[in-house]
Amino acid sequence: MTKIKVFGHRNPDTDAISSAIIFAHYLNEQGKDAEAVALGAPNEETQYALDYFKFDAPRIVETLANEDCEVALTDHNERQQSIEDIDQLTVRYVIDHHRIANFETDEPLYYRAEPVGCTCTILYKMYKEAGIDIPQNIAGLMASAICSDSLLFKSPTCTHEDVDAAKACAEIAGIDIKKYGLDMLKAGTNVKSKTAAQLVNADAKTFDMGEHKVRVGQVNCVDLNELKSRKAELVDEMTKQNEENGFESFLLMLTNILTKETALLVVGGLHPEIEKAFEHTIEDDFMSLPGVVSRKKQIIPPLSKQF
Ligand code: MN
Ligand code: MN
Protein backbone atom coordinates (compact mmCIF):
# COMPACT_ATOMS: atom_id res chain seq x y z
CA MET A 1 0.00 0.00 0.00
CA THR A 2 1.39 3.39 -0.94
CA LYS A 3 1.99 5.49 2.08
CA ILE A 4 0.26 8.88 2.21
CA LYS A 5 2.02 11.80 3.88
CA VAL A 6 -0.34 14.53 5.06
CA PHE A 7 0.79 18.08 5.67
CA GLY A 8 -0.46 21.66 6.00
CA HIS A 9 1.17 24.84 4.68
CA ARG A 10 4.58 26.32 5.42
CA ASN A 11 4.85 28.41 8.58
CA PRO A 12 2.18 26.16 10.01
CA ASP A 13 -0.58 27.56 12.20
CA THR A 14 -2.84 25.56 14.49
CA ASP A 15 -5.19 24.54 11.66
CA ALA A 16 -2.30 23.46 9.40
CA ILE A 17 -0.80 21.17 12.07
CA SER A 18 -4.12 19.93 13.48
CA SER A 19 -5.76 19.24 10.13
CA ALA A 20 -2.76 17.15 9.06
CA ILE A 21 -2.82 15.08 12.27
CA ILE A 22 -6.59 14.68 12.02
CA PHE A 23 -6.78 13.83 8.33
CA ALA A 24 -4.01 11.23 8.78
CA HIS A 25 -6.11 9.72 11.59
CA TYR A 26 -9.19 9.79 9.34
CA LEU A 27 -7.33 7.99 6.53
CA ASN A 28 -5.97 5.42 8.97
CA GLU A 29 -9.51 4.78 10.21
CA GLN A 30 -10.41 4.05 6.60
CA GLY A 31 -7.70 1.43 6.36
CA LYS A 32 -5.14 3.57 4.57
CA ASP A 33 -1.53 4.01 5.60
CA ALA A 34 -1.14 7.70 6.40
CA GLU A 35 1.31 9.78 8.42
CA ALA A 36 1.07 13.44 9.40
CA VAL A 37 4.18 15.50 8.77
CA ALA A 38 4.78 19.27 8.88
CA LEU A 39 6.64 21.94 6.95
CA GLY A 40 7.77 23.65 10.14
CA ALA A 41 7.68 23.59 13.93
CA PRO A 42 4.46 24.40 15.78
CA ASN A 43 4.10 27.99 17.06
CA GLU A 44 3.45 28.63 20.76
CA GLU A 45 -0.33 28.63 20.33
CA THR A 46 -0.26 25.30 18.49
CA GLN A 47 2.17 23.84 21.02
CA TYR A 48 -0.30 24.76 23.77
CA ALA A 49 -3.02 22.75 22.00
CA LEU A 50 -0.71 19.79 21.30
CA ASP A 51 0.42 19.68 24.93
CA TYR A 52 -3.12 20.05 26.27
CA PHE A 53 -4.39 17.11 24.23
CA LYS A 54 -1.13 15.13 24.47
CA PHE A 55 -0.03 14.98 20.85
CA ASP A 56 3.55 14.95 19.62
CA ALA A 57 4.38 17.56 17.02
CA PRO A 58 4.51 15.97 13.55
CA ARG A 59 7.92 15.17 12.09
CA ILE A 60 9.27 18.10 10.07
CA VAL A 61 10.09 17.44 6.42
CA GLU A 62 11.63 19.64 3.73
CA THR A 63 11.15 17.31 0.77
CA LEU A 64 9.16 14.10 0.23
CA ALA A 65 10.06 12.83 -3.26
CA ASN A 66 12.80 10.86 -1.50
CA GLU A 67 10.28 9.00 0.72
CA ASP A 68 8.34 6.93 -1.85
CA CYS A 69 4.89 8.20 -0.98
CA GLU A 70 1.87 10.12 -2.21
CA VAL A 71 0.65 13.22 -0.47
CA ALA A 72 -2.43 14.91 0.97
CA LEU A 73 -2.51 18.69 1.38
CA THR A 74 -4.55 20.24 4.16
CA ASP A 75 -5.28 23.92 4.84
CA HIS A 76 -3.60 25.06 1.59
CA ASN A 77 -3.31 24.37 -2.11
CA GLU A 78 -1.10 27.11 -3.56
CA ARG A 79 2.26 25.78 -4.70
CA GLN A 80 4.34 28.52 -3.10
CA GLN A 81 2.80 27.70 0.30
CA SER A 82 3.47 23.98 -0.07
CA ILE A 83 6.44 21.66 0.13
CA GLU A 84 9.50 22.53 -1.94
CA ASP A 85 9.34 19.49 -4.24
CA ILE A 86 5.55 19.52 -4.72
CA ASP A 87 6.04 19.33 -8.51
CA GLN A 88 7.60 15.87 -8.14
CA LEU A 89 4.85 14.48 -5.91
CA THR A 90 1.49 12.87 -6.61
CA VAL A 91 -1.24 14.76 -4.77
CA ARG A 92 -4.08 12.37 -3.83
CA TYR A 93 -6.11 14.60 -1.55
CA VAL A 94 -6.67 18.25 -0.79
CA ILE A 95 -8.85 19.39 2.12
CA ASP A 96 -8.93 23.17 2.25
CA HIS A 97 -10.84 26.39 2.81
CA HIS A 98 -8.75 28.90 0.85
CA ARG A 99 -8.91 30.37 -2.63
CA ILE A 100 -7.61 28.00 -5.29
CA ALA A 101 -4.57 29.33 -7.14
CA ASN A 102 -1.35 27.97 -8.64
CA PHE A 103 -2.65 24.44 -8.36
CA GLU A 104 -2.56 21.74 -10.99
CA THR A 105 -2.26 17.95 -10.99
CA ASP A 106 -1.49 15.28 -13.59
CA GLU A 107 -3.90 12.76 -12.11
CA PRO A 108 -7.42 12.74 -10.70
CA LEU A 109 -7.63 13.40 -6.97
CA TYR A 110 -10.02 13.86 -4.07
CA TYR A 111 -10.37 17.63 -3.67
CA ARG A 112 -12.67 19.09 -1.05
CA ALA A 113 -12.91 22.84 -0.59
CA GLU A 114 -15.58 24.59 1.41
CA PRO A 115 -15.88 28.29 2.22
CA VAL A 116 -15.95 27.72 5.97
CA GLY A 117 -13.70 29.23 8.64
CA CYS A 118 -11.43 26.28 9.27
CA THR A 119 -10.18 23.10 7.59
CA CYS A 120 -11.04 21.20 10.76
CA THR A 121 -14.70 22.12 10.32
CA ILE A 122 -14.65 20.28 6.98
CA LEU A 123 -12.90 17.34 8.63
CA TYR A 124 -15.51 17.28 11.40
CA LYS A 125 -18.19 16.91 8.70
CA MET A 126 -16.19 14.18 6.98
CA TYR A 127 -16.00 12.12 10.20
CA LYS A 128 -19.77 12.49 10.58
CA GLU A 129 -20.44 11.54 6.96
CA ALA A 130 -18.18 8.49 7.21
CA GLY A 131 -19.66 7.46 10.56
CA ILE A 132 -16.26 7.54 12.27
CA ASP A 133 -16.29 8.22 16.02
CA ILE A 134 -14.24 11.28 16.91
CA PRO A 135 -11.85 10.44 19.79
CA GLN A 136 -11.62 12.90 22.68
CA ASN A 137 -8.15 14.20 21.80
CA ILE A 138 -8.93 14.55 18.08
CA ALA A 139 -12.04 16.53 19.01
CA GLY A 140 -9.87 18.74 21.22
CA LEU A 141 -7.55 19.52 18.32
CA MET A 142 -10.50 20.25 16.04
CA ALA A 143 -11.91 22.72 18.56
CA SER A 144 -8.46 24.31 18.96
CA ALA A 145 -8.04 24.85 15.22
CA ILE A 146 -11.51 26.37 14.87
CA CYS A 147 -10.88 28.74 17.80
CA SER A 148 -7.58 29.72 16.21
CA ASP A 149 -8.77 30.34 12.64
CA SER A 150 -11.95 32.10 13.75
CA LEU A 151 -10.28 34.07 16.58
CA LEU A 152 -12.84 32.58 18.92
CA PHE A 153 -15.70 33.07 16.41
CA LYS A 154 -14.94 36.79 15.94
CA SER A 155 -13.48 36.60 12.43
CA PRO A 156 -15.73 37.33 9.43
CA THR A 157 -14.56 33.99 8.00
CA CYS A 158 -16.45 32.20 10.79
CA THR A 159 -19.68 30.46 9.70
CA HIS A 160 -22.42 28.82 11.74
CA GLU A 161 -20.93 25.47 10.67
CA ASP A 162 -17.67 26.42 12.42
CA VAL A 163 -19.52 27.39 15.59
CA ASP A 164 -21.58 24.19 15.56
CA ALA A 165 -18.53 22.00 14.93
CA ALA A 166 -16.46 23.72 17.62
CA LYS A 167 -19.23 23.38 20.21
CA ALA A 168 -19.78 19.70 19.41
CA CYS A 169 -16.03 19.05 19.57
CA ALA A 170 -15.66 20.96 22.84
CA GLU A 171 -18.31 18.74 24.36
CA ILE A 172 -16.56 15.55 23.24
CA ALA A 173 -13.22 16.96 24.43
CA GLY A 174 -14.67 18.07 27.76
CA ILE A 175 -13.50 21.68 27.59
CA ASP A 176 -15.15 25.05 28.15
CA ILE A 177 -14.61 26.44 24.64
CA LYS A 178 -14.55 30.16 25.59
CA LYS A 179 -12.09 29.69 28.42
CA TYR A 180 -9.88 27.15 26.72
CA GLY A 181 -9.89 29.12 23.44
CA LEU A 182 -8.81 32.36 25.08
CA ASP A 183 -6.04 30.61 27.04
CA MET A 184 -4.79 29.03 23.83
CA LEU A 185 -4.91 32.29 21.82
CA LYS A 186 -3.09 34.12 24.61
CA ALA A 187 -0.36 31.47 24.62
CA GLY A 188 0.32 32.53 21.04
CA THR A 189 0.51 36.27 21.68
CA ASN A 190 3.64 36.29 23.76
CA VAL A 191 5.54 38.84 21.65
CA LYS A 192 8.15 39.85 24.23
CA SER A 193 10.03 36.58 23.93
CA LYS A 194 10.27 36.78 20.13
CA THR A 195 12.84 38.40 17.89
CA ALA A 196 11.77 40.69 15.04
CA ALA A 197 12.63 37.94 12.57
CA GLN A 198 10.44 35.46 14.43
CA LEU A 199 7.51 37.89 14.50
CA VAL A 200 7.84 38.82 10.84
CA ASN A 201 8.30 35.27 9.55
CA ALA A 202 6.05 33.29 11.88
CA ASP A 203 2.85 33.36 9.85
CA ALA A 204 3.93 34.97 6.57
CA LYS A 205 2.69 33.72 3.22
CA THR A 206 3.64 34.74 -0.31
CA PHE A 207 0.92 35.70 -2.77
CA ASP A 208 1.12 36.25 -6.51
CA MET A 209 -0.93 39.37 -7.22
CA GLY A 210 -0.99 39.85 -10.96
CA GLU A 211 2.68 40.32 -11.78
CA HIS A 212 3.54 41.28 -8.23
CA LYS A 213 4.95 39.11 -5.47
CA VAL A 214 3.50 40.26 -2.17
CA ARG A 215 4.28 38.86 1.26
CA VAL A 216 1.61 39.06 3.96
CA GLY A 217 2.21 38.14 7.58
CA GLN A 218 0.14 38.41 10.74
CA VAL A 219 0.99 38.74 14.40
CA ASN A 220 -1.78 38.42 16.98
CA CYS A 221 -1.49 40.40 20.17
CA VAL A 222 -3.49 41.76 23.09
CA ASP A 223 -1.72 45.16 23.08
CA LEU A 224 -0.90 46.95 19.81
CA ASN A 225 1.45 49.49 21.39
CA GLU A 226 3.81 46.78 22.52
CA LEU A 227 4.29 45.77 18.85
CA LYS A 228 4.23 49.30 17.43
CA SER A 229 7.07 50.27 19.76
CA ARG A 230 9.21 47.70 17.95
CA LYS A 231 8.51 49.18 14.53
CA ALA A 232 12.15 50.00 13.66
CA GLU A 233 13.36 46.42 14.05
CA LEU A 234 10.31 45.02 12.28
CA VAL A 235 10.88 47.36 9.30
CA ASP A 236 14.56 46.37 9.15
CA GLU A 237 13.69 42.68 9.04
CA MET A 238 10.91 43.15 6.45
CA THR A 239 13.22 45.24 4.24
CA LYS A 240 15.83 42.50 4.42
CA GLN A 241 13.23 39.86 3.50
CA ASN A 242 12.05 41.94 0.53
CA GLU A 243 15.60 42.27 -0.79
CA GLU A 244 16.51 38.62 -0.28
CA ASN A 245 13.33 37.16 -1.75
CA GLY A 246 12.19 39.69 -4.33
CA PHE A 247 8.95 40.64 -2.56
CA GLU A 248 7.67 43.91 -3.95
CA SER A 249 5.90 44.72 -0.76
CA PHE A 250 5.65 43.20 2.70
CA LEU A 251 2.46 43.70 4.68
CA LEU A 252 2.49 42.74 8.34
CA MET A 253 -0.88 42.65 10.08
CA LEU A 254 -0.56 43.53 13.76
CA THR A 255 -3.89 42.30 15.01
CA ASN A 256 -5.37 42.93 18.42
CA ILE A 257 -7.53 39.86 18.97
CA LEU A 258 -9.46 41.47 21.83
CA THR A 259 -10.45 44.74 20.13
CA LYS A 260 -10.64 43.29 16.60
CA GLU A 261 -8.43 45.87 14.93
CA THR A 262 -5.37 45.65 12.73
CA ALA A 263 -2.46 48.03 12.28
CA LEU A 264 -1.06 47.12 8.87
CA LEU A 265 2.67 47.75 8.61
CA VAL A 266 3.57 48.28 4.94
CA VAL A 267 7.22 47.96 3.91
CA GLY A 268 8.34 48.16 0.28
CA GLY A 269 6.58 49.46 -2.80
CA LEU A 270 3.06 49.51 -4.23
CA HIS A 271 1.80 52.08 -1.70
CA PRO A 272 -0.69 53.77 -4.06
CA GLU A 273 -2.23 50.41 -5.05
CA ILE A 274 -2.41 49.26 -1.44
CA GLU A 275 -4.04 52.51 -0.32
CA LYS A 276 -6.58 52.21 -3.11
CA ALA A 277 -7.33 48.58 -2.26
CA PHE A 278 -8.31 49.41 1.32
CA GLU A 279 -9.46 53.00 0.81
CA HIS A 280 -7.25 54.06 3.71
CA THR A 281 -4.02 56.03 3.77
CA ILE A 282 -0.65 54.83 4.97
CA GLU A 283 0.77 57.14 7.62
CA ASP A 284 4.19 56.53 9.08
CA ASP A 285 4.22 53.10 7.35
CA PHE A 286 1.02 52.08 9.15
CA MET A 287 -2.51 51.73 7.88
CA SER A 288 -5.10 51.58 10.62
CA LEU A 289 -7.85 49.06 9.88
CA PRO A 290 -10.56 48.81 12.55
CA GLY A 291 -12.65 45.64 12.40
CA VAL A 292 -10.07 43.83 10.29
CA VAL A 293 -8.79 40.50 11.65
CA SER A 294 -8.79 38.13 8.69
CA ARG A 295 -6.03 38.00 6.10
CA LYS A 296 -8.00 35.56 3.98
CA LYS A 297 -11.23 37.52 3.86
CA GLN A 298 -10.32 41.15 4.51
CA ILE A 299 -6.77 41.58 3.20
CA ILE A 300 -6.17 39.21 0.28
CA PRO A 301 -9.43 39.75 -1.70
CA PRO A 302 -9.16 43.59 -1.90
CA LEU A 303 -5.50 43.25 -2.87
CA SER A 304 -6.24 40.60 -5.52
CA LYS A 305 -8.92 42.84 -6.98
CA GLN A 306 -6.60 45.82 -7.06
CA PHE A 307 -3.84 43.94 -8.90
MN1 MN B 1 -3.70 27.98 8.09
MN1 MN C 1 -7.18 27.24 8.12
Side-chain angles (χ1 to χ4, degrees):
M1 196 182 337
T2 314
K3 190 152 184 129
I4 298 164
K5 305 281 160 97
V6 189
F7 54 88
H9 51 80
R10 295 182 194 202
N11 284 344
D13 54 18
T14 300
D15 191 26
I17 299 267
S18 301
S19 60
I21 292 172
I22 293 163
F23 190 50
H25 174 266
Y26 174 96
L27 290 172
N28 287 330
E29 287 290 298
Q30 298 212 317
K32 305 209 167 71
D33 186 7
E35 179 198 0
V37 292
L39 306 186
N43 61 34
E44 284 169 286
E45 178 200 283
T46 310
Q47 193 60 54
Y48 180 94
L50 292 173
D51 290 344
Y52 196 99
F53 294 105
K54 302 191 170 57
F55 282 98
D56 291 328
R59 177 169 66 93
I60 295 172
V61 295
E62 276 169 19
T63 57
L64 278 174
N66 46 312
E67 292 198 19
D68 184 30
C69 63
E70 296 180 333
V71 299
L73 315 187
T74 62
D75 199 35
H76 76 293
N77 66 82
E78 299 192 44
R79 194 186 305 128
Q80 73 277 11
Q81 293 167 10
S82 198
I83 196 162
E84 220 174 278
D85 60 349
I86 187 73
D87 291 340
Q88 300 168 50
L89 297 165
T90 303
V91 180
R92 281 290 169 223
Y93 303 86
V94 178
I95 317 292
D96 191 22
H97 67 130
H98 293 86
R99 74 170 190 175
I100 300 172
N102 284 323
F103 182 80
E104 212 173 64
T105 59
D106 293 328
E107 292 181 43
L109 76 162
Y110 181 100
Y111 195 116
R112 181 152 174 174
E114 291 191 38
V116 291
C118 183
T119 303
C120 284
T121 300
I122 306 171
L123 289 168
Y124 171 79
K125 291 166 70 175
M126 290 171 67
Y127 274 74
K128 290 272 153 193
E129 288 160 12
I132 302 171
D133 279 337
I134 304 177
Q136 184 259 346
N137 58 347
I138 291 280
L141 270 195
M142 284 179 174
S144 303
I146 299 170
C147 285
S148 170
D149 268 11
S150 73
L151 287 178
L152 250 182
F153 315 130
K154 281 191 209 150
S155 169
T157 57
C158 187
T159 69
H160 71 90
E161 290 194 290
D162 298 298
V163 179
D164 291 350
K167 284 188 174 155
C169 288
E171 193 161 322
I172 299 169
I175 51 169
D176 173 340
I177 189 81
K178 287 264 154 76
K179 187 190 175 305
Y180 169 83
L182 198 58
D183 287 347
M184 183 198 71
L185 288 175
K186 278 191 176 155
T189 61
N190 178 14
V191 296
K192 263 197 204 83
S193 65
K194 296 193 188 108
T195 64
Q198 284 173 324
L199 291 170
V200 165
N201 296 324
D203 182 51
K205 293 179 182 175
T206 306
F207 296 88
D208 291 322
M209 302 278 180
E211 288 127 45
H212 308 285
K213 210 168 151 190
V214 177
R215 185 85 162 161
V216 186
Q218 184 170 28
V219 182
N220 290 337
C221 67
V222 289
D223 174 17
L224 271 182
N225 289 327
E226 192 185 349
L227 276 169
K228 281 183 163 174
S229 70
R230 295 178 63 182
K231 180 187 155 189
E233 38 169 337
L234 293 174
V235 169
D236 281 351
E237 179 61 31
M238 291 160 76
T239 306
K240 194 177 112 199
Q241 293 280 329
N242 284 350
E243 280 163 8
E244 282 174 1
N245 304 291
F247 307 135
E248 256 179 278
S249 201
F250 200 134
L251 284 63
L252 187 64
M253 301 171 65
L254 311 179
T255 302
N256 186 325
I257 57 171
L258 301 180
T259 58
K260 281 179 72 170
E261 61 180 321
T262 288
L264 189 68
L265 180 56
V266 183
V267 175
L270 307 172
H271 280 213
E273 290 88 345
I274 293 165
E275 290 190 327
K276 237 192 207 159
F278 298 106
E279 295 173 338
H280 273 75
T281 50
I282 300 169
E283 282 166 47
D284 241 1
D285 305 318
F286 279 111
M287 185 184 278
S288 175
L289 297 170
V292 170
V293 294
S294 166
R295 170 172 51 195
K296 186 190 298 136
K297 205 145 184 168
Q298 296 170 299
I299 298 289
I300 300 309
L303 280 178
S304 299
K305 242 179 235 153
Q306 186 60 39
F307 292 112

